[in-house]
Amino acid sequence: MSWIYLGIPYAGTVSVPLYLFRIPAGFPSPAADHVERQISLDELFQIRAPHVYLAQVEGDSMRGAGIHSGDILIIDRGREAQHGEIVVAALNGEPLCKRLYRKHGVVILQSENSAYPPRHVLEGDELAIWGVVRHSVRDHGL
Amino acid sequence: MSWPSGALSATACAIMASEPVYALIDCNSFYASCERVFRPDLAKTPIVVLSNNDGCVIARSYDAKPYVKMGAPWFQIKNTLRRHGIVAFSSNYVLYGDLSQRVMTLIESMVPACEVYSIDECFADLTGLSGDLTQLGREIRSRIMRCTGIPVGVGIARTKTLAKLANHTAKRLQVHTGGVVDLCENYKRDWVLRNTAAGEVWGIGRRLNAHLEQMGIKTASDLALADPATLRARFSVLVEKTARELRGIACLNLEDAQPPKQEICSSRMFGTRLSELEPIRQAVATYTSRAAEKLRAQGSLCKRIRVSIRTGMFNPNEIQHAQGALVELPYPTNDTLLLTRAATEVVGHLFRPGCRYSKAEILLLDLRQPGEYSGDLFAQEQPVASQNLMAVLDSINERYGRGTVRSARVPVAPDWGMKREFLSQSYTTKLDQLWKVACR
């Protein structure tokens, strides 16, 4: 099964029922009184919230964090990014997904792949933190 | 505004006794700001947004305003745009609608009651809130900015008209005000009234303003001090109310849900001129199903439908032709299929060979709520089967996107469709158009 189970944003909730009983003609289902609310990935990932956005990854510099090319990021814009968090940031106008290092006045955008050196944010660079990555979703290609 | 009826405790009474306070939250250059959200590379590039069919400028970012006039036709200003490095976008209402909904949800979560006034404006009732309202305004502003990237201005005052004026001032004096202006105190209100032209006041149009000027009413302050009885006698009760509101006497409340519309219109220019009947029929079918969707969304039925088509009206070398027809339906209905049949059939009678048509319009008329009409005992009613079919159609289209199930007359990608050469992606509503973020 592929993992693109998020549905079309704003097209209603996609939910997975916990109990699937046909309506019996004879005895009522003994589970009828125990049916719970359905599981909703929309709720889990909060993708209907006004501050949550989706984006798609291009490139493999965050492989070590389990974020691969083509994955869908679930980004929280409502939250102030902290040191050590994975962020989406616009560096000189280009949107990047990196781990944010911010300590003692030093700001670095770190990759999780040895092929990509850390990018020190220097004077003259323009950095805008766009949001914090809360989850990522991968299609395992079935 | 209405407080929940069960909440009439001592505190609620105290709240009701306190003087009203309204806020107007207004997005700055909304369409242009939306286009910037997923284009951080354009943060400092001036932007304009074009009308349907890329006709003329309908929105400008702050930094594009000195170079481009509102309403300027695209073909006339192409070179100006290039010269100043201004980027143009086709209007992307899907994107604007999504971001608007996010902004409004955020506002709703921060104020006791609000009224969404337009796609980019929202009135809020702050009556009875204790604490620093300017500070609340700043919090609303910074929260919306952080969560959506859309800059807003907040105007706070004793009436809706003054709140609108406060908002206008916040925008005009952005640097000094930080985008928030509270005019609840009289001396601030009076300063703004003296320094604002009457024509800038909410509801005072150009023509009205000319009349006011003849009476010596030039500033908002003049209008506030004008004799209400005279204003009502010479103009209307609305102008009188506006003047009272400027004085700080609240005459307008937050509107609750809009009453159902009395007529529904769906009309659009074709992307190209059409001189054959079949594509015009397709367009008419497309606009009709859109109108029927709107009709069902407000829970109404319609008894009449007006269909009209016209050619361009400005080219002297072409035949100019416009014609409409009114169709009486057999019973009040909201059935897309019935409406489409009626509209596409009648347009065949309107069509004249040799004309180059530019626009079609569908108007649903004689709207009513189910049960409201009392036909005689034997009057025909909409069959239950069509009601059920429409309910299924709407639920499928709501879940899987508009047009998933549609009348066979409605093409997916018509060649007469809207021209939108500079359309941005549907970043927030289509999985195959998500924003791309680089890991390099």
Side-chain angles (χ1 to χ4, degrees):
Chain A
M1 185 199 71
S2 101
W3 249 89
I4 311 249
Y5 230 49
L6 294 167
I8 302 152
Y10 292 110
T13 344
V14 176
S15 35
V16 188
L18 266 183
Y19 298 89
L20 269 176
F21 285 103
R22 284 164 181 279
I23 297 166
F27 287 106
S29 158
D33 291 340
H34 303 275
V35 171
E36 297 193 7
R37 258 158 46 82
Q38 294 184 313
I39 289 173
S40 162
L41 292 179
D42 290 4
E43 262 173 49
L44 179 67
F45 293 143
Q46 280 198 47
I47 66 165
R48 307 281 164 222
H51 55 279
V52 177
Y53 298 79
L54 305 184
Q56 194 161 33
V57 174
E58 278 182 334
D60 59 356
S61 73
M62 291 301 284
R63 209 168 56 192
I67 296 175
H68 298 254
S69 201
D71 286 1
I72 291 176
L73 301 178
I74 294 158
I75 307 166
D76 183 344
R77 284 202 82 166
R79 181 189 159 84
E80 189 92 34
Q82 307 294 317
H83 167 78
E85 289 177 345
I86 299 174
V87 298
V88 168
L91 181 62
N92 302 322
E94 188 192 19
L96 299 169
C97 172
K98 297 280 163 183
R99 197 177 287 283
L100 178 69
Y101 179 100
R102 184 163 60 189
K103 253 188 180 170
H104 315 301
V106 180
V107 179
I108 308 172
L109 295 178
Q110 295 174 322
S111 294
E112 304 257 329
N113 180 337
S114 52
Y116 297 83
R119 172 67 161 87
H120 288 256
V121 179
L122 307 170
E123 219 161 295
D125 276 330
E126 269 192 51
L127 180 74
I129 306 287
W130 200 91
V132 180
V133 175
R134 275 195 183 273
H135 312 271
S136 57
V137 181
R138 177 152 355 124
D139 183 340
H140 288 280
L142 291 190
Chain B
M1 68 157 268
S2 57
W3 289 91
S5 52
L8 275 178
S9 61
T11 44
C13 290
I15 287 166
M16 290 172 80
S18 61
E19 275 193 86
V21 182
Y22 292 98
L24 177 70
I25 301 122
D26 180 9
C27 303
N28 301 348
S29 313
F30 182 58
Y31 296 173
S33 300
C34 288
E35 294 293 351
R36 275 183 175 147
V37 168
F38 297 95
R39 292 291 303 272
D41 56 313
L42 298 181
K44 288 179 181 149
T45 305
I47 288 175
V48 296
V49 176
L50 305 173
S51 60
N52 284 340
N53 281 318
D54 297 340
C56 56
V57 172
I58 53 165
R60 306 163 297 168
S61 64
Y62 184 73
D63 40 9
K65 286 183 183 178
Y67 308 108
V68 186
K69 277 212 182 94
M70 206 62 164
W74 153 244
F75 68 91
Q76 270 179 18
I77 55 159
K78 252 192 272 191
N79 290 325
T80 315
L81 297 187
R82 197 172 313 132
R83 208 164 45 246
H84 295 288
I86 301 170
V87 176
F89 284 96
S90 305
S91 30
N92 184 348
Y93 288 109
V94 174
L95 177 67
Y96 311 153
D98 179 86
L99 288 168
S100 167
Q101 209 176 343
R102 291 170 187 265
V103 169
M104 299 309 169
T105 310
L106 290 164
I107 294 171
E108 273 164 27
S109 72
M110 298 183 78
V111 300
C114 64
E115 169 202 347
V116 176
Y117 182 66
S118 71
I119 192 168
D120 60 353
E121 292 170 286
C122 183
F123 282 105
D125 190 333
L126 308 182
T127 306
L129 289 187
S130 54
D132 184 349
L133 294 182
T134 305
Q135 187 52 35
L136 174 65
R138 287 192 205 293
E139 278 162 28
I140 291 174
R141 206 176 119 80
S142 74
R143 178 123 188 256
I144 293 173
M145 185 65 192
R146 202 175 60 227
C147 293
T148 67
I150 305 285
V152 302
V154 183
I156 301 165
R158 294 277 175 221
T159 68
K160 281 171 90 174
T161 307
L162 283 169
K164 190 103 179 167
L165 203 57
N167 187 291
H168 181 70
T169 311
K171 254 187 203 173
R172 209 172 48 165
L173 307 175
Q174 176 90 33
V175 188
H176 304 281
T177 61
V180 181
V181 165
D182 178 353
L183 297 183
C184 284
E185 286 181 83
N186 290 350
Y187 75 95
K188 290 185 184 167
R189 179 194 70 199
D190 294 340
W191 185 89
V192 169
L193 286 176
R194 280 196 306 273
N195 287 283
T196 307
E200 305 274 358
V201 172
W202 188 32
I204 305 297
R206 196 177 300 167
R207 205 184 277 170
L208 186 56
N209 191 37
H211 284 293
L212 290 174
E213 264 183 21
Q214 282 171 6
M215 295 168 64
I217 297 174
K218 297 202 166 82
T219 66
S221 176
D222 296 338
L223 183 57
L225 296 173
D227 174 43
T230 311
L231 290 176
R232 183 174 42 196
R234 289 193 76 163
F235 305 108
S236 69
V237 71
L238 287 177
V239 179
E240 181 201 353
K241 275 188 182 173
T242 300
R244 285 190 196 278
E245 284 239 321
L246 287 178
R247 265 190 247 172
I249 304 158
C251 302
L252 306 169
N253 300 320
L254 283 200
E255 309 250 342
D256 295 327
Q258 298 282 323
K261 291 206 181 83
Q262 293 307 300
E263 49 182 61
I264 288 174
C265 176
S266 172
S267 88
R268 213 172 264 172
M269 302 275 288
F270 309 134
T272 54
R273 296 292 152 95
L274 299 179
S275 41
E276 278 172 53
L277 180 56
E278 187 46 36
I280 293 178
R281 278 215 163 108
Q282 293 177 358
V284 163
T286 306
Y287 302 172
T288 305
S289 43
R290 181 68 197 112
E293 268 172 31
K294 291 188 202 170
L295 182 70
R296 293 195 296 274
Q298 69 168 35
S300 306
L301 304 169
C302 80
K303 184 70 175 36
R304 276 189 283 179
I305 175 169
R306 186 175 179 281
V307 183
S308 56
I309 52 175
R310 68 167 171 84
T311 61
M313 287 296 161
F314 301 107
N315 188 341
N317 303 321
E318 279 180 11
I319 308 170
Q320 289 168 18
H321 180 235
Q323 189 144 31
L326 199 62
V327 186
E328 189 81 29
L329 298 155
Y331 44 81
T333 182
N334 58 13
D335 182 345
T336 297
L337 300 178
L338 177 62
L339 292 166
T340 304
R341 211 177 307 138
T344 51
E345 196 184 301
V346 78
V347 78
H349 299 294
L350 301 177
F351 175 78
R352 236 206 258 166
C355 293
R356 299 176 70 233
Y357 289 95
S358 66
K359 187 177 183 179
E361 182 182 278
I362 303 299
L363 207 55
L364 304 184
L365 297 160
D366 203 352
L367 305 194
R368 46 191 95 183
Q369 299 305 105
E372 206 174 83
Y373 56 95
S374 51
D376 61 81
L377 192 55
F378 304 103
Q380 205 184 344
E381 283 193 15
Q382 170 159 270
V384 178
S386 2
Q387 266 171 47
N388 293 344
L389 180 62
M390 289 305 114
V392 172
L393 182 99
D394 286 337
S395 69
I396 291 175
N397 286 342
E398 200 201 324
R399 180 151 178 182
Y400 296 101
R402 177 171 298 153
T404 304
V405 176
R406 58 185 187 278
S407 142
R409 279 268 188 209
V410 177
V412 196
D415 38 19
W416 46 262
M418 229 200 293
K419 200 163 77 189
R420 291 198 286 189
E421 277 180 47
F422 318 104
L423 187 64
S424 50
Q425 287 158 248
S426 294
Y427 297 102
T428 52
T429 48
K430 291 227 160 72
L431 271 181
D432 59 353
Q433 294 185 23
L434 291 180
W435 192 35
K436 297 284 192 286
V437 169
C439 281
R440 27 170 186 267

